[in-house]
Amino acid sequence: MDSGAADALFEMPATSAGGRGRPAPPPGETCRNDRGDVHVLDRPEHDSELQAVHGWFEIFGRTPELIGDAVEDAIYYVLDGARTHRFDIRDERVDSDERRSIGTKLQFHVIENFELPRLRHPDTEVAGVGLEIKGTIGGNWAVPKEGQCGVTLLIRLDLERDRHKAWLMRTHRAWLRDGANNDGKRGVLANALRAYAVELYGWEPLRPNPLKMLEPADLDVVFGDAGQQPRLTHLFRTLPQVVIPRAVILTVCANRDDPMRRVRAIRPLVRPFGLELLCGKWPAQRELAEDLGFDLTGAAWVAVPAPDLDGYGPLSEQVRAEVE
């Protein structure tokens, strides 16, 4: 499903025909889930557990950034660029099963990024409340029987536009579709999402993979037959002042020995072009890069104009000593 169709799914009016347009039972009505539990539906603002989880994410801060990092890590994991040279999840070499597995990998990376406990059912716990984590690259999520009527973090990825969005919702059985898949999992009713989900944050952009910014001729060089050093040199020359994550380096140098050492070795090769390479592995370089507006967390790299290293006193002196 393309992003436009998926957007339309959540904008469908309550009067539309079919399961997607079925009205969601309102608060006050009874919900019976597939486990046989019976309870009364409540509005999200009156749901103390959902509000506790929402408040926890607000206090924690950086929620869009940390979930965005988790999304990127899940995509890099599925692409497995260090072995395959793949760098675009829409590449025809990435099959549909691999794309679907992003949601599963995303769950683990969210738990890791927020330093949450990893549980079996539910997936984790926040503010003393069990929390399911579900991601989708399509128009809906697959809520299992054990996740029905629990508080759920719903993350949607729009791979066409490189963006993500998240809600918190108590995924009551009454607010899920009647039709289940072969595993007994059910999607969220569009009308229930609109009326009873709490938006955690709106659409946020994913950082573009730098390799997707290259022209075809440059890709031919970067993935050509030359050695690692000339190919990496061309990458940084072509994309100055663009953060190059470690995963991108591993993709370019797939199946080669010690690619990180090769990057360090090209520092003299980019200097004739007026550039210096900074790496987030070293605290001083990471700090100076941050002052210049670049986030080098995760041992990322960036090529900056050589004069930009000056003007920061002892920090500049330390970085100059490290890169020479």
Side-chain angles (χ1 to χ4, degrees), residues 307-323:
D308 287 2
L309 270 60
D310 299 323
Y312 295 90
L315 181 61
S316 293
E317 295 174 7
Q318 182 175 348
V319 171
R320 283 285 186 189
E322 291 176 354
V323 301

Side-chain angles (χ1 to χ4, degrees), residues 23-31 39-43 172 174-175 192 195-196:
E29 292 197 9
T30 299
C31 173
H39 48 269
V40 176
L41 298 172
D42 204 355
R43 298 194 64 83
H172 286 292
W175 294 343
Y196 305 121

Side-chain angles (χ1 to χ4, degrees), residues 62-99:
R62 301 175 59 223
T63 293
E65 177 185 347
L66 291 176
I67 292 181
D69 288 346
V71 171
E72 292 169 5
D73 288 341
I75 290 174
Y76 279 131
Y77 182 94
V78 171
L79 287 172
D80 192 12
R83 185 179 60 84
T84 65
H85 277 316
R86 301 182 306 188
F87 60 89
D88 190 339
I89 200 67
R90 294 170 294 175
D91 191 312
E92 62 182 11
R93 294 174 295 169
V94 182
D95 64 39
S96 57
D97 287 339
E98 288 181 296
R99 292 189 186 94

Side-chain angles (χ1 to χ4, degrees), residues 123-137:
D123 297 323
T124 189
E125 184 178 278
V126 168
V129 179
L131 180 69
E132 295 282 349
I133 301 172
K134 299 301 172 191
T136 181
I137 62 171

Side-chain angles (χ1 to χ4, degrees), residues 143-253:
V143 179
K145 181 188 295 186
E146 60 271 15
Q148 290 180 13
C149 305
V151 178
T152 305
L153 171 61
L154 300 172
I155 304 168
R156 184 180 160 219
L157 317 182
D158 181 348
L159 299 179
E160 293 293 326
R161 303 178 189 175
D162 289 323
R163 59 182 186 168
H164 59 101
K165 184 177 184 178
W167 298 260
L168 284 171
M169 181 179 181
R170 189 175 287 278
T171 47
H172 286 292
R173 168 63 185 88
W175 294 343
L176 302 179
R177 294 181 180 178
D178 288 334
N181 66 13
N182 294 335
D183 296 327
K185 297 177 181 178
R186 302 179 184 275
V188 178
L189 284 172
N191 293 309
L193 182 80
R194 181 170 56 247
Y196 305 121
V198 177
E199 186 177 276
L200 196 55
Y201 59 85
W203 286 114
E204 290 283 337
L206 292 168
R207 288 171 294 200
N209 186 317
L211 295 172
K212 293 164 69 174
M213 301 167 65
L214 295 173
E215 297 293 333
D218 295 312
L219 284 171
D220 288 342
V221 176
V222 169
F223 289 104
D225 296 328
Q228 292 181 77
Q229 290 188 14
R231 294 191 291 112
L232 289 168
T233 300
H234 188 84
L235 174 67
F236 283 103
R237 279 184 55 200
T238 308
L239 298 176
Q241 303 188 80
V242 172
V243 173
I244 309 294
R246 184 175 185 273
V248 169
I249 303 295
L250 295 177
T251 300
V252 171
C253 301

Side-chain angles (χ1 to χ4, degrees), residues 295-315:
D295 179 6
L296 299 188
T297 54
W301 291 76
V302 66
V304 300
D308 287 2
L309 270 60
D310 299 323
Y312 295 90
L315 181 61

